[in-house]
């Protein structure tokens, strides 16, 4: 019963006034960001990272704040899906299918509260899954040497495009671009400068926080400018909510659905290259196939609301497993969370569990607490968040841009970093127009150095023999999975994609 | 067409990157792999993927009209000016202008845009500087 004892320690860490306050703040901001179309979990967390640093927060409090935002955004996405038929973030896309018809039938309140409960069930079960699965994964990861780690990184990149990837060449391009950006700066092994072109600012390398905020947050501002989308999507919609509690009978019929889809979503979250959007998609499709005997899905069936919400929240929890246990994130938002850990000089991966158990278990305990807070916030107080939808983006987007600038300036105090961030913003806009995913770029800048170091360590240990990379059964296995993960989307990708993205646009590039 | 151009730019980028990698000075104390190998692998990957993009382009993306592009260009110029002026004009003043410009270009009326700018600037200043103690750029008047 190690786990329960560790969890108890975690609660002792999480239950301080400061941490509770941060969790509450994170849940609140996260729900708002999730609800607002245009801000999703990954850019929401990205904007808040600099805030966490400038507050001088330690590792555990920063992570508590930011993962609360992450969980909160997963809850918040459903609000505009149900009320406006516009997904607040990508994982909430499937919730539109039955949520909006329910709202049109006058059942908006029921849909919101039911999806709140479903989100809670999904996230709650996934947090237990995280507790049970992560330590097992750590045991395997402890067997990894440099060669296996190199293979693992390659696997992460090759599967990142995901089953629903539009174009594997573009995913590969994005990964290579990110890795290339990571090589800028002084080489950590030999001390020679690389790709700095004599610019002193570049000797330290590019700060990946600058890259993240530019790519995710500023590019969003450009997208809004391009479409001159200054109004609020809620304008002109009647947002009557009605009763705020789902009838017990509705909860009862949805319970098996929620349990099944939580499990499925969790698995989707753990697997590399899947993430929350796919989690909610397969949850919805499976439930439709399984229980939709009268053809009511798509016309406002409560089970069609519960399934994707439980699925995407469970996937959000599942995605934390590889990030914490292996140090290799499988989705956009967990990549951003990894950036937080790296900036705080904490290396995620198997050693995290032995060296910084307080961080891991404090975080997990905070996730439980945040989940209850979110349930409380999202059912009785949902009316508050629907007001947020009325803020027009011509006011919101300048604030987003300015907070990004303040955050980056607060970390480094240099105008040079701001210019680099603008550069990344423009690059992010162009790449999104060309449908190149941004998450591999981020992951490349984050993991590039670690990947190169492992490669060089492995080859150096074996006296310059490159064959060592595929020497052990473990690394061969990892390479095999990586290859399958890369090739599979080429075969089945088109089919999944067509079903999943009826409206694939720029948003697909930062999908989670 | 866009993807063909994009792919060709990518290939050129890969070549430039590879050439820059070849000029990296080797230290006399090097490991077995050296500082060049990994960038060269990346350059190959970048080149191959760009070539594939150029040879098998996706459907044309929806590019905005010239006016909209100018809009984005204008915003970039304002942001660059903002970054450069920040240490000179101070945070509050620079931010009022930048935020008001963005709000105006997103469709606010001039008065509303100015109010958004002032609100954003003063709001961020009070929350981040006065409340949280973050050091922001100081202008000639100390704010």
């Amino acid at each position: 019963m190690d786990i329960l004892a560790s969890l108890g320690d975690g609660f002792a860490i999480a239950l301080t006034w400061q941490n509770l306050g941060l969790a509450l703040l994170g849940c609140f901001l996260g729900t708002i960001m999730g609800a607002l179309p245009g801000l999703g979990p990954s850019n929401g967390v990205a904007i808040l990272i600099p805030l966490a640093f400038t507050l001088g927060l330690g590792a555990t409090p920063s992570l508590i704040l930011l993962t609360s935002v992450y969980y909160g955004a997963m809850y918040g996405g459903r609000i505009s899906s149900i009320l406006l038929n516009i997904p607040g973030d990508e994982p909430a896309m499937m919730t539109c299918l039955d949520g909006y018809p329910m709202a049109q039938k006058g059942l908006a309140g029921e849909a919101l509260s039911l999806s709140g409960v479903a989100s809670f069930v999904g996230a709650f079960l996934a947090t237990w899954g995280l507790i049970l699965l992560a330590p097992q994964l750590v045991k395997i990861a402890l067997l990894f040497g440099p060669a296996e780690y190199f293979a693992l990184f390659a696997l992460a990149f090759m599967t990142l495009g995901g089953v629903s990837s539009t174009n594997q060449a573009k995913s590969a391009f994005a990964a290579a671009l990110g890795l290339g950006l990571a090589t800028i700066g002084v080489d950590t092994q030999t001390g020679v400068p690389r790709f700095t072109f004599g610019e002193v600012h570049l000797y330290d390398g590019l700060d990946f926080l600058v890259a993240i905020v530019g790519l995710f947050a500023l590019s969003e501002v450009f997208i809004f400018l391009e479409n001159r989308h200054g109004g609020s999507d809620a304008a002109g919609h009647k947002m009557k909510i009605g009763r705020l509690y789902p009838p017990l009978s509705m909860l009862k019929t949805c319970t098996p659905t929620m349990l099944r889809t939580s499990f499925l979503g969790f698995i989707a979250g753990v697997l590399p290259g899947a993430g929350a959007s796919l989690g909610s998609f397969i949850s919805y499709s499976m439930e439709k196939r399984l229980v939709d005997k009268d053809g009511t899905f798509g016309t406002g069936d409560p089970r069609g609301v519960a399934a994707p919400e439980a699925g995407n929240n469970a996937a959000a929890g599942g995605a934390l497993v590889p990030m914490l246990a292996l140090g290799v994130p499988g989705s956009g938002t967990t990549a951003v969370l990894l950036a937080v850990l790296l900036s705080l000089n904490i290396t995620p991966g198997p050693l995290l569990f032995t060296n910084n158990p307080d961080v891991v278990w404090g975080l997990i305990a905070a996730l439980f607490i945040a989940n209850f807070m979110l349930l409380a916030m999202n059912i009785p107080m949902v009316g508050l968040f629907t007001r947020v939808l009325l803020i027009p983006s011509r006011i919101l987007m300048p604030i987003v841009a300015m907070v990004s600038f303040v955050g980056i300036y607060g970390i480094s105090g240099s105008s040079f970093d701001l210019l680099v961030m603008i550069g990344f913003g423009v690059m992010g806009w162009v790449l999104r127009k060309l449908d190149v995913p941004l998450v591999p770029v981020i992951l490349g800048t984050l993991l590039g150095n670690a990947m190169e170091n492992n490669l060089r360590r492995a080859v150096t240990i074996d006296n310059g023999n490159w064959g060592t990379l595929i020497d052990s059964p473990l690394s061969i296995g990892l390479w095999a999975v990586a290859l399958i993960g890369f090739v599979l989307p080429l075969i089945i990708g088109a089919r999944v994609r067509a079903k999943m993205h009826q409206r694939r646009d720029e948003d697909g590039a930062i999908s989670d | 067409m866009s993807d063909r151009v994009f792919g060709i730019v990518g290939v050129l980028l890969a070549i430039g990157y590879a050439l820059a990698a070849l000029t990296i000075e080797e230290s006399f104390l090097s490991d077995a792999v050296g500082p060049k190998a990994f960038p060269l692998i990346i350059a190959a990957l970048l080149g191959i993927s760009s070539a594939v993009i150029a040879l098998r382009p996706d459907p044309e993306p929806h590019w905005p009209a010239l006016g909209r592009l100018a809009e984005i260009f204008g915003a970039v110029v304002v942001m660059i000016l903002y970054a450069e002026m920040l240490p000179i004009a101070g945070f509050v003043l620079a931010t009022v202008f930048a935020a008001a410009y963005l709000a105006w270009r997103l469709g606010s009326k001039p008065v509303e845009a100015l109010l958004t700018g002032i609100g954003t600037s003063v709001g961020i200043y009070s929350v981040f500087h006065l409340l949280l103690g973050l050091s922001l750029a100081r202008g000639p008047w100390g704010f």
Side-chain angles (χ1 to χ4, degrees):
Chain A
M1 285 291 93
D2 268 6
I3 289 175
L4 287 182
S6 312
L7 192 60
D9 294 340
F11 272 102
I13 294 164
L15 286 171
T16 63
W17 286 113
Q18 189 205 21
N19 289 344
L20 286 177
L22 287 171
L24 192 65
L25 179 71
C27 292
F28 181 74
L29 290 175
T31 311
I32 290 181
M33 290 182 171
L36 287 167
L39 280 179
S42 42
N43 42 20
V45 176
I47 295 174
L48 288 180
I49 297 178
L51 175 70
F53 285 126
T54 46
L55 283 173
L57 296 179
T60 317
S62 320
L63 266 189
I64 289 177
L65 173 70
L66 295 169
T67 44
S68 306
V69 174
Y70 177 33
Y71 267 36
M74 289 290 164
Y75 272 78
R78 76 194 205 285
I79 298 175
S80 60
S81 297
I82 291 173
L83 292 176
L84 307 174
N85 202 20
I86 300 166
D89 48 26
E90 165 131 341
M93 200 131 73
M94 306 309 288
T95 315
C96 292
L97 297 181
D98 275 286
Y100 187 63
M102 265 184 94
Q104 281 180 316
K105 283 197 254 174
L107 294 171
E110 281 86 347
L112 284 171
S113 50
L114 174 68
S115 55
V117 173
S119 300
F120 174 79
V121 172
F124 184 76
L125 292 178
T127 312
W128 276 110
L130 168 66
I131 292 177
L132 298 176
L133 187 60
Q136 310 308 318
L137 206 55
V138 164
K139 282 183 197 147
I140 300 174
L142 284 172
L143 303 173
F144 283 18
E148 285 80 10
Y149 264 108
F150 182 71
L152 180 68
F153 287 132
L155 184 151
F157 284 112
M158 290 168 78
T159 54
L160 202 58
V163 189
S164 59
S165 152
T166 16
N167 186 336
Q168 287 293 60
K170 286 184 173 173
S171 305
F173 174 86
L177 186 66
L179 290 168
L181 289 168
T183 57
I184 295 175
V186 173
D187 174 30
T188 46
Q189 312 251 327
T190 57
V192 293
R194 297 192 292 183
F195 311 108
T196 54
F197 307 106
E199 174 68 67
V200 186
H201 288 292
L202 289 178
Y203 274 57
D204 269 350
L206 290 170
D207 188 339
F208 40 72
L209 291 179
V210 175
I212 288 175
V213 177
L215 283 176
F216 282 169
L218 271 195
S219 70
E220 192 70 43
V221 176
F222 292 136
I223 294 271
F224 271 82
L225 268 172
E226 175 202 339
N227 299 322
R228 190 159 211 173
H229 187 63
S232 138
D233 289 315
H237 276 267
K238 277 204 319 284
M239 293 200 291
K240 265 192 52 199
I241 294 182
R243 56 178 292 173
L244 275 179
Y245 296 93
L248 266 181
S249 58
M250 193 189 273
L251 279 182
K252 223 165 161 182
T253 47
C254 291
T255 306
T257 298
M258 288 194 250
L259 295 179
R260 276 194 299 263
T261 53
S262 298
F263 180 73
L264 203 60
F266 178 74
I267 304 286
V270 174
L271 291 178
S277 305
L278 196 78
S280 73
F281 168 72
I282 55 173
S283 298
Y284 186 88
S285 332
M286 184 196 78
E287 277 308 301
K288 192 174 157 122
R289 197 159 291 175
L290 219 58
V291 297
D292 183 24
K293 303 223 163 54
D294 315 320
T296 50
F297 269 51
T299 60
D301 190 314
R303 289 168 303 185
V305 175
E309 278 305 310
N312 80 27
N313 282 273
L320 289 171
V321 174
M323 197 276 274
L324 288 173
L326 304 176
V328 177
S331 74
T333 316
T334 45
V336 178
L337 290 171
L338 177 71
V340 180
L341 283 173
L342 291 177
S343 316
L344 291 162
N345 272 332
I346 291 180
T347 315
L351 292 179
L352 181 65
F353 281 72
T354 42
N355 293 349
N356 301 81
D358 53 322
V359 174
V360 179
W361 293 103
L363 172 67
I364 290 173
L367 289 177
F368 278 117
I369 296 167
N371 221 344
F372 279 100
M373 287 177 173
L374 282 164
L375 184 67
M377 261 187 218
N378 272 278
I379 294 191
M381 285 162 62
V382 74
L384 184 72
F385 293 108
T386 58
R387 300 259 148 66
V388 172
L389 293 176
L390 292 167
I391 300 176
S393 52
R394 61 175 182 273
I395 295 178
L396 183 73
M397 281 298 139
I399 299 177
V400 169
M402 291 302 130
V403 171
S404 315
F405 276 102
V406 169
I408 294 300
Y409 193 82
I411 294 177
S412 65
S414 95
S415 292
F416 180 80
D417 277 354
L418 295 185
L419 296 176
V420 175
M421 177 175 83
I422 298 170
F424 272 107
V426 176
M427 186 170 101
W429 179 76
V430 175
L431 292 179
R432 282 167 79 167
K433 290 309 283 183
L434 292 166
D435 213 8
V436 177
L438 297 181
V439 175
V441 183
I442 295 294
L443 208 58
T445 49
L446 278 175
L447 298 180
N449 288 327
M451 190 172 178
E452 179 177 9
N453 288 344
N454 278 304
L455 169 71
R456 287 163 76 167
R457 212 170 289 150
V459 176
T460 305
I461 290 170
D462 218 18
N463 293 322
N465 170 20
W466 288 71
T468 181
L469 294 177
I470 41 167
D471 214 18
S472 75
L474 209 50
S475 62
I476 293 172
L478 288 167
W479 280 109
V481 176
L483 275 178
I484 294 170
F486 189 75
V487 176
L488 201 61
L490 297 175
I491 304 164
I492 64 161
R495 249 198 355 230
V496 178
R497 191 165 63 242
K499 282 194 205 151
M500 192 167 157
H501 294 280
Q502 289 102 346
R503 32 156 272 139
R504 184 178 183 104
D505 49 18
E506 293 93 29
D507 277 348
I510 52 167
S511 67
D512 196 44
Chain B
M1 193 60 212
S2 299
D3 269 1
R4 301 219 187 258
V5 176
F6 171 51
I8 291 167
V9 171
V11 170
L12 294 177
L13 181 71
I15 293 171
Y17 183 75
L19 289 178
L22 288 173
T23 62
I24 296 172
E25 285 176 51
E26 296 259 6
S27 160
F28 59 92
L29 271 175
S30 187
D31 52 339
V33 180
K36 284 180 189 171
F38 188 70
L40 287 174
I41 297 172
I42 301 299
L45 188 62
L46 198 63
I48 294 169
S49 54
S50 303
V52 173
I53 293 171
L55 293 175
R56 299 187 51 194
D58 282 341
E60 190 70 2
H62 176 74
W63 290 106
L66 207 58
R68 298 280 99 201
L69 278 181
E71 201 69 77
I72 290 169
F73 183 73
V76 172
V77 171
V78 168
M79 285 178 185
I80 291 173
L81 283 178
Y82 175 73
E84 294 291 345
M85 290 303 286
L86 207 49
I88 303 165
F91 172 79
V92 174
L93 193 66
T95 306
V96 170
F97 276 105
Y101 175 83
L102 288 177
W104 176 52
R105 292 322 304 164
L106 279 165
S108 298
K109 302 266 183 308
V111 176
E112 189 195 277
L114 193 64
L115 288 178
T116 307
I118 294 172
T120 307
S121 176
V122 173
I124 292 179
Y125 188 78
S126 17
V127 173
F128 284 80
H129 184 72
L130 301 179
L131 204 66
L132 302 177
L134 170 64
S135 62
L136 299 171
R138 292 161 78 87
W141 311 282
F143 57 79

